[in-house]
Amino acid sequence: MSEHDAVVGDGRNETVNEQMDRNWGELLQELRVLQTGVQILAGFLLTIPFQERFESLDDYQVGLYLSNVVLAALITAVILLPVSVHRRLFRKQLKQTLVSSADRIAKVALAGVALLSAGTASLVFDVTAGREAGLLAGGGLLAVMVLLLVFVPIWLHKRASRG
């Protein structure tokens, strides 16, 4: 097998370059889904200061709100990072580096989206149902996100490895 051949036994008849191109395309699709979710949450957050009730928020709620806005902006930057990396590595025969770095970046973005979702839910519950409800909602949602985004994929991988 040459360095340009596909991994033996993967069930596909493609070269490593074709495999990297496919993996890159799949990563871009995943990042598009993440980007849409972040845009929706960020758009929601950006409307909050223009509501009459915003001025009645306490210091904790304003801090949580601002933390969520910063987190949404940072996640947007993380999701855009593979595009920047691609521009820098384009035509330099570094597709494997691009794909492996984008894979790590996508995992960081997933973690950020989980935090942003939990933070946004916490803020909404805090404002509408009180601090305890906000903390429970945010913590509960974060726990569910960790379960779904970390432990379910690990479990599925182990299950598939067993046969």
Side-chain angles (χ1 to χ4, degrees):
M1 179 168 98
S2 76
E3 67 182 22
H4 300 291
D5 290 333
V7 177
V8 175
D10 74 350
R12 296 174 193 252
N13 185 22
E14 59 187 4
T15 66
V16 170
N17 286 334
E18 291 168 335
Q19 185 179 40
M20 289 299 107
D21 288 343
R22 178 178 49 79
N23 290 344
W24 174 245
E26 289 174 5
L27 277 164
L28 285 180
Q29 285 300 102
E30 293 169 9
L31 290 169
R32 285 183 185 116
V33 170
L34 283 172
Q35 181 182 16
T36 301
V38 171
Q39 287 174 331
I40 291 168
L41 284 173
F44 163 73
L45 289 169
L46 293 176
T47 65
I48 291 175
F50 302 103
Q51 306 301 312
E52 285 181 36
R53 196 167 174 192
F54 186 76
E55 292 186 23
S56 69
L57 298 182
D58 64 27
D59 289 344
Y60 173 81
Q61 292 165 334
V62 171
L64 182 55
Y65 167 75
L66 293 173
S67 297
N68 284 329
V69 170
V70 169
L71 187 56
L74 288 173
I75 295 166
T76 299
V78 169
I79 291 171
L80 293 174
L81 182 57
V83 175
S84 176
V85 171
H86 182 262
R87 287 292 91 216
R88 192 74 171 145
L89 300 182
F90 187 64
R91 293 189 178 161
K92 298 199 185 302
Q93 307 303 313
L94 296 170
K95 183 69 71 118
Q96 285 182 305
T97 300
L98 174 64
V99 170
S100 65
S101 66
D103 174 62
R104 287 188 294 277
I105 291 165
K107 290 173 184 170
V108 169
L110 275 169
V113 170
L115 286 173
L116 180 60
S117 296
T120 302
S122 184
L123 177 63
V124 169
F125 273 77
D126 192 283
V127 170
T128 59
R131 182 71 29 93
E132 186 176 333
L135 293 171
L136 285 171
L141 184 56
L142 187 57
V144 169
M145 291 287 224
V146 169
L147 176 71
L148 293 176
L149 301 178
V150 176
F151 292 109
V152 168
I154 290 170
W155 176 74
L156 288 171
H157 182 261
K158 285 181 181 179
R159 190 172 142 199
S161 297
R162 280 185 241 142

